[in-house]
Amino acid sequence: MQRICLFPGTFDPVTLGHTDIIDRALPLFDELIIGIGINATKVPMFSVEQRVEWIQEIYRHEPKIRVASYEGLTVNFCKAVNARFILRGIRYVSDFEYEKAIADINRKMEHEVETIFLTCSPEYSTIASTLVRDVIRHGGDAAQFLPEPVAKAIQNKKP
C-alpha cells in the first residue's frame, strides 16, 4: 500500500518554513500532496493559481510531489486522494496544542488517517506566512523568508 500524505495549508505565500517541512517529509512517503485549502472566510493575498504555480515550480524536479487545491474538510480530501497521513509543521509548543486538537477531531471523523507532526528546523521557527504577508504589504523585503521563485515573482510585481 502506498504511503500517501497530504500537507494541507493556505501557503499564502509558500515560505522557507513550508519547504523545510516538505523537504524533510519527502523520504517518509511515496507521494506528498501539497493541499492548498480554500477557506471562504479568508481573503488570501495571492490567488490559488499563483500558489499552485509556485509550489509546482519549486518542486518541478520532484516526482513524488503533487499540488492540488480543495475546499471543505481536510479528512474528506484525504479520502478523495487516498491519503492515509496528514503532515503538519510545528514551530512552537502553542502550535502543537492547536494542531493536536485538530488531529484528534480528524481522527474521530476518519480513524484511518494519521496526523504526522514535524518540527521545523530552528532557523525557520519564526517564519509565518502571516508575518511574511505583513512585510510584503508594508513594502519590506521578504526575500530572506521565501523560496527563490516566490521572492522573484513578488519582487517583479512591485511598482
Side-chain angles (χ1 to χ4, degrees), residues 46-128:
F46 303 98
S47 71
V48 171
E49 295 78 16
Q50 176 67 82
R51 290 176 274 159
V52 166
E53 187 180 303
W54 280 335
I55 296 168
Q56 287 174 335
E57 169 66 15
I58 293 163
Y59 291 103
R60 68 187 177 281
H61 299 299
E62 181 47 69
K64 289 169 61 171
I65 288 188
R66 182 162 46 118
V67 187
S69 62
Y70 72 98
E71 290 185 68
L73 294 174
T74 298
V75 290
N76 290 346
F77 187 62
C78 283
K79 284 195 282 191
V81 296
N82 296 314
R84 290 186 36 244
F85 304 96
I86 295 173
L87 174 65
R88 298 301 295 158
I90 302 289
R91 290 174 299 180
Y92 301 109
V93 172
S94 58
D95 286 350
F96 177 75
E97 291 170 355
Y98 175 74
E99 293 292 346
K100 184 185 181 309
I102 294 171
D104 290 345
I105 293 290
N106 285 341
R107 183 116 171 109
K108 284 184 187 264
M109 289 189 295
E110 189 55 56
H111 68 279
E112 301 270 319
V113 176
E114 281 293 343
T115 299
I116 307 295
F117 298 111
L118 281 184
T119 57
C120 70
S121 297
E123 62 268 31
Y124 303 118
S125 65
T126 59
I127 300 175

